[in-house]
């Protein structure tokens, strides 16, 4: 697919500009240090796929974007940014999307307080406008993300994650956020409970396909945009490796797990794991499953009437599995 994210965003470009203004305004504070940090966070915004999912899903049910949809998108950005700031503290990470993290520039204590501030801003934004349904959707996603992260930490110690547990982790850690974007979009446009759940499930399938694509980035296939072997170096059990280990004999399995556990950043050992996964059909199996979830997402999307927004969502989910970084 040759269409770019900017081209996909074109039908809602005015709404995205309006959202950015509203979001910047919502981040203003009288505390000088906090205001400086908020400005830094806003300037480092990524692809803005989350607000795009909110707005395109809202437009499935209502042609014009209402204030509730803007608030819903802002709520997701505030709560998600809070989790990222806290994640960087937990991971002792100095960079986020190529920029210094908040904790790297202002230390952990300030970063934790900033995360708390963003969380409270999101809660107040919803409560002050009686957006209880939106708050319920997004709060549930944050709970799921935390549980998924803790489940991964618990299971990673033994490197014995099954495919079933893997899908539990990515459904909670990654897919729950995109699911909440779509559910918020539908709810903010006045959709029925049935359609809100359908939109949520659509987002969940997209989120799972998105994470599987991210797993493939570790194995140096042609589309890859990040350094290979990062997940292996960090001892993360992703789908290609889980499948390859499941298909391996006991001796090979022990040797590979030893290499993952004791790689210590050794590129030679990491490459041996990558070669093993490729020879075992781990890449082909993972691509097949990614395409399966893509197809399931499309099937749900096609239960909604054809419209420019529905076509934009088709482009957006195609972009998530064909992106190069």
């Amino acid at each position: 697919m040759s269409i770019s994210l900017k081209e996909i965003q074109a039908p809602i470009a005015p709404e995205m500009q309006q959202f950015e203004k509203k979001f910047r305004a919502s981040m203003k504070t009288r505390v000088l240090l906090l205001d400086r940090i908020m400005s830094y966070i806003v300037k480092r915004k990524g692809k803005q796929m989350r607000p795009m999912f909110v707005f395109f899903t809202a437009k499935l049910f209502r042609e014009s974007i209402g204030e509730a949809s803007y608030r819903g998108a802002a709520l997701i950005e505030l709560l998600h940014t809070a989790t990222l700031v806290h994640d960087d503290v937990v991971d002792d990470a100095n960079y986020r999307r190529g920029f210094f993290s908040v904790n790297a520039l202002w230390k952990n204590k300030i970063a934790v307080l900033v995360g708390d501030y963003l969380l409270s801003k999101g809660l107040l934004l919803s409560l002050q406008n009686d957006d209880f349904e939106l708050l319920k959707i997004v709060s549930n996603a944050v709970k799921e993300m935390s549980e998924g992260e803790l489940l991964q930490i618990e299971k990673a110690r033994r490197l014995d994650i099954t495919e079933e547990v893997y899908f539990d982790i990515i459904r909670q850690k990654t897919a729950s956020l995109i699911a909440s974007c779509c559910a918020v979009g539908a709810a903010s446009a006045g959709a029925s409970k049935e359609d809100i759940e359908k939109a949520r499930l659509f987002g969940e399938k997209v989120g799972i396909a998105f994470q599987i694509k991210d797993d493939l980035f570790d194995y140096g296939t042609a589309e890859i945009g990040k350094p290979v072997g990062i997940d292996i170096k960090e001892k993360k059990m992703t789908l290609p490796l889980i499948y390859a280990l499941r298909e391996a004999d006991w001796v090979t399995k022990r040797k590979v797990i030893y290499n993952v556990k004791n790689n210590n950043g050794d590129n030679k050992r990491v490459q041996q794991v990558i070669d093993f996964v490729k020879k075992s059909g781990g890449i082909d199996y993972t691509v097949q499953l990614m395409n399966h979830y893509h197809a399931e997402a499309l099937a749900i999307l096609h239960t909604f009437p054809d419209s420019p927004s529905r076509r934009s969502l088709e482009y957006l989910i195609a972009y998530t599995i064909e992106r190069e970084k």
Side-chain angles (χ1 to χ4, degrees):
M1 186 188 72
S2 57
I3 192 166
S4 69
L5 201 56
K6 193 171 182 180
E7 289 171 303
I8 296 169
Q9 195 187 90
I12 54 165
E15 286 91 344
M16 292 297 289
Q17 286 179 342
Q18 189 69 11
F19 169 70
E20 194 165 332
K21 285 179 191 171
K22 288 175 182 287
F23 188 63
R24 281 176 184 268
S26 75
M27 299 279 263
K28 282 284 177 190
T29 166
R30 288 176 296 175
V31 179
L32 189 61
L33 172 62
L34 194 50
D35 196 49
R36 194 182 307 143
I37 297 170
M38 291 300 106
S39 296
Y40 180 73
I41 288 171
V42 169
K43 281 176 188 169
R44 295 172 10 200
K45 67 182 185 300
K47 297 185 180 85
Q48 292 194 292
M49 287 175 72
R50 290 176 298 276
M52 287 171 70
F53 273 112
V54 173
F55 296 149
F56 280 135
T57 309
K59 276 177 169 279
L60 290 175
F61 305 97
R62 195 163 80 187
E63 187 47 45
S64 60
I65 297 292
E67 287 300 316
S69 297
Y70 285 115
R71 289 195 301 270
L75 170 63
I76 286 169
E77 288 295 89
L78 286 164
L79 266 60
H80 180 54
T81 306
T83 65
L84 294 181
V85 171
H86 283 161
D87 280 352
D88 287 340
V89 174
V90 170
D91 297 338
D92 199 20
N94 289 323
Y95 295 94
R96 166 78 57 183
R97 295 195 199 102
F99 294 90
F100 281 115
S101 57
V102 173
N103 53 298
L105 291 173
W106 288 281
K107 305 303 175 191
N108 285 351
K109 185 176 181 179
I110 289 174
V112 170
L113 293 169
V114 165
D116 292 347
Y117 175 79
L118 289 163
L119 185 63
S120 63
K121 284 284 279 188
L123 298 175
L124 284 169
L125 176 67
S126 297
L127 294 172
Q128 286 164 354
N129 292 281
D130 295 338
D131 293 328
F132 302 118
E133 181 66 20
L134 307 188
L135 183 57
K136 184 179 174 183
I137 291 166
V138 181
S139 297
N140 189 61
V142 173
K143 175 186 82 77
E144 292 260 320
M145 287 160 68
S146 303
E147 285 179 354
E149 192 72 56
L150 287 165
L151 178 60
Q152 185 174 48
I153 290 168
E154 176 195 328
K155 297 293 182 182
R157 287 173 184 162
R158 292 180 59 190
L159 294 183
D160 63 350
I161 294 177
T162 62
E163 194 171 304
E164 184 183 1
V165 171
Y166 164 83
F167 277 107
D168 279 345
I169 291 169
I170 68 167
R171 183 186 57 76
Q172 290 185 295
K173 262 189 74 176
T174 305
S176 62
L177 183 64
I178 297 178
S180 73
C181 292
C182 298
V184 160
S188 67
S192 66
K193 274 193 173 6
E194 184 188 356
D195 280 339
I196 293 168
E197 175 55 23
K198 213 192 291 183
R200 188 201 67 77
L201 193 57
F202 160 73
E204 186 177 282
K205 303 287 186 189
V206 174
I208 291 171
F210 180 94
Q211 184 57 53
I212 293 174
K213 174 67 175 182
D214 223 49
D215 287 356
L216 287 166
F217 284 163
D218 213 41
Y219 290 89
T221 49
E223 317 90 60
I224 300 316
K226 79 172 185 182
V228 299
I230 296 295
D231 291 335
I232 297 167
K233 285 177 183 175
E234 292 178 358
K235 302 175 180 61
K236 286 181 184 172
M237 294 288 283
T238 57
L239 188 56
L241 180 56
I242 291 166
Y243 171 82
L245 286 172
R246 190 179 73 203
E247 299 301 303
D249 61 71
W250 184 78
V251 175
T252 306
K253 189 173 180 178
R254 272 193 68 182
K255 184 182 173 185
V256 172
I257 288 175
Y258 180 85
N259 274 343
V260 174
K261 273 186 178 177
N262 302 284
N263 72 76
N264 298 321
D266 180 350
N267 289 331
K268 188 180 174 185
R269 279 190 174 172
V270 170
Q271 191 57 51
Q272 284 173 356
V273 176
I274 291 171
D275 292 342
F276 159 72
V277 169
K278 286 180 177 177
K279 283 174 190 168
S280 304
I283 305 299
D284 293 339
Y285 179 77
T286 302
V287 169
Q288 185 185 335
L289 270 184
M290 179 182 71
N291 290 332
H292 167 75
Y293 280 99
H294 178 203
E296 286 195 333
L298 276 179
I300 296 169
L301 184 60
H302 287 164
T303 63
F304 299 114
D306 187 24
S307 67
S309 298
R310 196 184 86 170
R311 289 192 291 276
S312 292
L313 281 168
E314 287 174 15
Y315 290 137
L316 193 51
I317 60 174
Y319 175 86
T320 64
I321 66 164
E322 292 174 23
R323 64 201 163 94
E324 294 183 1
K325 59 183 177 178

